[in-house]
Amino acid sequence: MRRLITTAAVLLALGTVVGAGRPPLVTAPLPMRLADTGGGTQLITAMADGTSSTSGTLTWWDLKDGRWVAAGKATARFGSKGLTEGSTRKQSTYTTPTGLYDLPYAFGVAAAPAGIRYPYRRATAKSWWCEDNEARDYNRWVEPLPSDCRASESEQITAYPTQYARALVIGFNYDAPVRGRGAGIFLHVNGSGATAGCVSVPADAMDRILVWADPARKPHIAIGTYGGPTAITNY
């Protein structure tokens, strides 16, 4: 018993020395446990219990004096078929891609909220998101719909006035699109249930995120699960 107590005391002392100046890993804010945060001073985390989950928690964070501090939190919804590794995701699987992504710009059917700093694109009846794998503008906003982009394979933004009232583009498969991997992944307002692969939050949370987000601080979004190959800490 004496030896066990002594060993525990030594380990505790070592832990105190090694962890001096920073919180223990198990209690550190989530962004501190991620493999990467994108290099900015703002971050959104969207985490689910597991890959079969259709809901979880979304938190937005600020880096202040070297420590990540939560600025807000909301219940999040994911794809109706759960989540899957973003690098191997397939289009039309109704899964939300896990990974770390940038947030290129905001858009919406509604006007931009007061105080927004993000580039905001207002949708009209001519606004579409091209999701046709054969189209030149695959995974891009287009106005009007090009002749090589089939409407049946794309989304007219204004056809979803609730979900796309206000939204942020998630940079999944965006910079160099891989055809067949997926298109039109956004952070948007909740609809009636799980999404087709996007991440959604209540309307008031979406507005707060848009006013909080500052492109000069290079915000990213990390999407993942608590554990396993798609653990959010892997990204």
Side-chain angles (χ1 to χ4, degrees):
M1 178 65 72
R2 184 184 299 276
R3 179 173 295 178
L4 289 175
I5 293 173
T6 302
T7 301
V10 170
L11 290 174
L12 180 60
L14 286 173
T16 302
V17 173
V18 172
R22 63 172 60 183
L25 187 61
V26 292
T27 59
L30 179 58
M32 293 182 67
R33 292 179 271 137
L34 267 59
D36 189 7
T37 58
T41 58
Q42 286 187 327
L43 180 71
I44 299 172
T45 57
M47 188 160 59
D49 284 343
T51 53
S52 63
S53 300
T54 58
S55 64
T57 302
L58 185 140
T59 309
W60 51 105
W61 307 81
D62 289 304
L63 183 62
K64 296 181 178 180
D65 299 322
R67 183 180 176 86
W68 288 97
V69 179
K73 183 177 292 188
T75 299
R77 294 177 180 173
F78 301 106
S80 60
K81 298 297 183 182
L83 300 87
T84 192
E85 169 58 48
S87 62
T88 55
R89 182 184 183 269
K90 302 296 182 184
Q91 187 160 324
S92 302
T93 55
Y94 297 92
T95 54
T96 297
T98 59
L100 178 70
Y101 306 106
D102 63 354
L103 300 160
Y105 61 91
F107 71 92
V109 176
I116 190 173
R117 288 165 288 185
Y118 236 80
Y120 190 89
R121 193 164 189 176
R122 184 81 181 270
T124 71
K126 295 182 179 180
S127 305
W128 290 75
W129 197 272
C130 181
E131 299 176 9
D132 188 335
N133 281 284
E134 305 302 319
R136 179 185 62 184
D137 293 311
Y138 175 67
N139 202 21
R140 287 293 185 272
W141 179 297
V142 291
E143 284 187 5
L145 188 69
S147 59
D148 70 336
C149 184
R150 292 170 291 174
S152 61
E153 297 292 321
S154 301
E155 286 188 324
Q156 185 178 26
I157 304 298
T158 54
Y160 303 91
T162 298
Q163 294 93 323
Y164 296 159
R166 289 169 177 157
L168 273 166
V169 176
I170 294 176
F172 166 73
N173 200 31
Y174 189 79
D175 289 338
V178 176
R179 296 174 191 279
R181 182 150 295 163
I185 300 298
F186 312 125
L187 172 60
H188 63 69
V189 176
N190 284 341
S192 59
T195 74
C198 296
V199 180
S200 74
V201 292
D204 64 330
M206 190 72 241
D207 286 353
R208 284 185 285 139
I209 291 167
L210 286 175
V211 173
W212 160 85
D214 182 354
R217 297 177 63 188
K218 301 179 181 178
H220 285 66
I221 184 169
I223 306 169
T225 56
Y226 274 97
T230 56
I232 197 168
T233 50
N234 292 340
Y235 302 111

